[in-house]
Amino acid sequence: MPSETFEFQVEARQLLQLMIHSVYSNKDVFLRELVSNASDALDKLRLAALRDEAPDVDVTDLHIEIDIDKEARTLTVRDNGIGMSYDEVTQLIGTIANSGTAKFLQELRETKDAAGADGLIGQFGVGFYSGFMVADEVTLVTRRAGETQGTRWTSRGEGTYTLEKVDEAPQGTSVTLHLKPADSENQLHDYTSAWKVKEIVKRYSDFITWPIRLVPEAGDDGDSGEAETLNSMKALWARPRDEVSDDEYHELYKHISHDWREPLETIRLQAEGAFEYQALLFVPAHAPHDLFTQGYQRGVQLYVKRVFIMDDCEELLPPYLRFVKGVVDAQDLSLNVSREILQQDRHIRMMRRRLTKKVLSTVKDLMSSAPERYTTFWREFGPVLKEGLVTDSENRDAILAVASFASTRDAEEPTTLAKYVERMKDGQDGIYFMTGESRQAIENSPHMEAFRAKGVEVLLLTDPVDEVWVDAVGEYEGKRLRSVAKGEIDLGGEEDGKDGAEKERQSEEYAGLLGWMTEHLGEDVKEVRLSSRLTVSPACVVSDAHDLTPALENMYRAMGQEVPRSKRILELNPEHQLVKTLNRAYTEREDRTELTETAELLHALAVLSEGGRPKEPARFVKLVADRMERTL
Ligand code: ADP
């Protein structure tokens, strides 16, 4: 079959351009990426063989080979793994499936400094393409295990690639790089140097569990020596802890996470006894951009007795720890273990509990031993960890202990619940919080006025999940979590000189107006009452203690659930001149047509001031415009 030429998808072309005019300063890592792909391909083939899905395939000598041709200036990475079919090559190599790539390219263009660019590139597994950092032409020849025909893919990385079916192709994949000239100024080393290749493999890929062999160069007599295995192949998690360097751990992290950056934290755990396993877990330093999307792949791989069994094994950690990457190697499971079996396995459930506690206790340790790393952790993963407050009641206290929240006390520094409680005023009957879109929106909301005036600290909760967990959790150390926008608030009347008798007098004075307004606005509010939270604004709306907040109602609706719209409560500030005048007009006037409009307007203002929208914006505008005109 003749070769056919195709165009790269736009994103792929952009990415290649970046690789070619490399923004990434450490070019050696191309080899790590190719070896990593080869290793995955070998894992997949062995697994297929274990499951009898590759009956006619020889799996006795699975390995990776690196072949250097000094004269032709090529370097080939070859594996006899699962290989790819013709269609797979077009799908996997010709396009970039990752939806975040467009966003990434945008960010990359905006990032001028090289260090920032390195970090950004690392977010997106651009593995195979990294070959174009060091090569001006790349050829990939592959044959899928069990198929007879192979595929050759070639590209100079400049917009097009050619594809061709080939009859003679060994099973597995070989990637041949036609190397650019070495150029020390651009950190482009001489990758035809066996010494250099050995060094790179040792540094980045030592732990790969398959042999990585360097094919010896043919001598003058055409005789070639024994292939040398470059890596120790020792699984890091099986080696004694003090023998493994941080760098080695980090390389394993990069291999399994496809993140090119260092992890934030490495966690090792070993269980002996009836159910033996080793776990090596990593907390990344950055949240992946798709952490909250549906198809997000969890990171923990399952091995059984050193044999890779599956990627993103959901049974090993709860969903709220889905950002954790790593490896769990269980000694006492069958190699044929399936997801169904895992779901029911008592040992797996125990392991999951233990791993969960270990991750949480590691975070707890960070709080005291490395506050800066803790801050990074919470910034990146706090929003997802808080999901656990709703879904994992067993670890609720452990999660609350590592949680921190923005607070009115300090614009920069978040607080823990423990510290909040320490600072609570005598007689304060709960931990006050407010949920909202942003710090600014919350701070400007009328509900905060009395709290500000009296210096009562309020936690500012701005993640979507905050709407949910506060209700689920309810209290912390016997102190109720109380929304400043819900229920009755009593911040202690004496301080502002208003005692019980004064309040009584006020409620008598306003009783008529409140009753009349409640009736008149009955369609929209369930009650109109006097407020103890306002100092500046005339009115605000609040929810009953057990009602859903408007944001939560909207969330449920967005998820397609029917929820009745709950009526809210309108609160008036009895100290506000507008409210006082309204009350006087109410008691003095016979004709209340004007006043009904004022009542409506007051309600609309209260809704607006918390960032909501009046029920009938057009009517609201007309009423206001009429009144403005009259004052001119
Ligand atoms: P990533 O490895 O991050 O998925 P790559 O661009 O490196 O991205 O590879 C894309 C896909 O191509 C891989 O996920 C894999 O399915 C396939 N692939 C790459 N190299 C090989 C190989 N040596 N053998 C089999 N499949 C491979």
Side-chain angles (χ1 to χ4, degrees), residues 360 363-364 367 374 378 385 389 395-405 416-418 476-477:
L360 292 174
V363 178
K364 179 96 203 226
M367 288 177 102
Y374 164 75
W378 191 256
L385 209 71
L389 292 171
N395 289 301
R396 187 172 277 171
D397 290 342
I399 301 172
L400 284 177
V402 299
S404 52
F405 307 97
T416 59
L417 289 178
Y476 170 79
E477 310 241 305

Side-chain angles (χ1 to χ4, degrees), residues 50 53 104 113 127 143-144 159 176 190 194 199 221 283 324 354 422 445 459 503 537 572-573 606 625:
L50 277 171
E53 288 162 5
F104 152 68
D113 69 306
R143 179 165 65 82
R144 171 113 193 155
T176 300
D190 179 10
E199 186 211 57
D221 51 3
V283 177
V324 173
R354 175 126 187 252
E422 256 173 51
S445 120
L459 302 178
K503 280 197 172 161
S537 302
L572 304 184
N573 177 0

Side-chain angles (χ1 to χ4, degrees), residues 416-569:
T416 59
L417 289 178
K419 287 193 191 135
Y420 180 103
V421 168
E422 256 173 51
R423 286 190 296 266
M424 273 171 65
K425 304 196 166 198
D426 283 346
Q428 184 175 331
D429 66 347
I431 297 170
Y432 287 109
F433 68 86
M434 177 149 179
T435 55
E437 293 249 307
S438 65
R439 179 173 189 120
Q440 201 191 9
I442 297 177
E443 283 188 329
N444 289 338
S445 120
H447 305 97
M448 299 287 286
E449 288 172 6
F451 291 85
R452 192 176 305 124
K454 294 191 179 160
V456 177
E457 182 173 357
V458 178
L459 302 178
L460 309 169
L461 309 182
T462 53
D463 291 320
V465 62
D466 290 331
E467 298 278 353
V468 189
W469 74 258
V470 284
D471 283 338
V473 170
E475 61 168 57
Y476 170 79
E477 310 241 305
K479 311 279 189 298
R480 267 187 54 211
L481 289 162
R482 306 196 52 182
S483 166
V484 306
K486 273 185 163 188
E488 303 250 18
I489 293 289
D490 183 5
L491 292 179
E494 285 76 22
E495 279 168 48
D496 57 3
K498 220 198 274 178
D499 55 20
E502 165 77 4
K503 280 197 172 161
E504 198 119 313
R505 196 189 54 73
Q506 253 179 359
S507 48
E508 259 168 52
E509 193 184 328
Y510 280 94
L513 175 72
L514 297 176
W516 172 77
M517 275 180 77
T518 301
E519 195 170 316
H520 178 64
L521 297 173
E523 233 180 77
D524 304 308
V525 301
K526 62 173 127 183
E527 188 191 349
V528 182
R529 68 185 181 206
L530 294 184
S531 184
S532 50
R533 13 184 152 223
L534 300 174
T535 59
V536 185
S537 302
C540 68
V541 276
V542 304
S543 301
D544 244 347
H546 301 292
D547 281 348
L548 295 180
T549 61
L552 204 51
E553 275 185 19
N554 289 338
M555 245 158 72
Y556 282 126
R557 275 191 206 105
M559 296 187 306
Q561 287 188 32
E562 282 284 336
V563 268
R565 201 167 284 282
S566 45
K567 283 188 195 175
R568 303 181 71 205
I569 297 162

Side-chain angles (χ1 to χ4, degrees), residues 13 19 52 99 125-126 128 131 134 176 205 246 291 301 305 307 343 352 415-416 439 479 483 505-506 527 532 539 561:
R13 194 163 62 224
M19 280 293 151
D52 290 330
S99 61
V126 288
F128 172 74
V134 299
T176 300
S205 311
D246 284 351
L291 192 55
Q301 298 181 334
K305 300 188 251 307
V307 175
Q343 275 161 13
R352 171 177 163 136
T415 180
T416 59
R439 179 173 189 120
K479 311 279 189 298
S483 166
R505 196 189 54 73
Q506 253 179 359
E527 188 191 349
S532 50
Q561 287 188 32

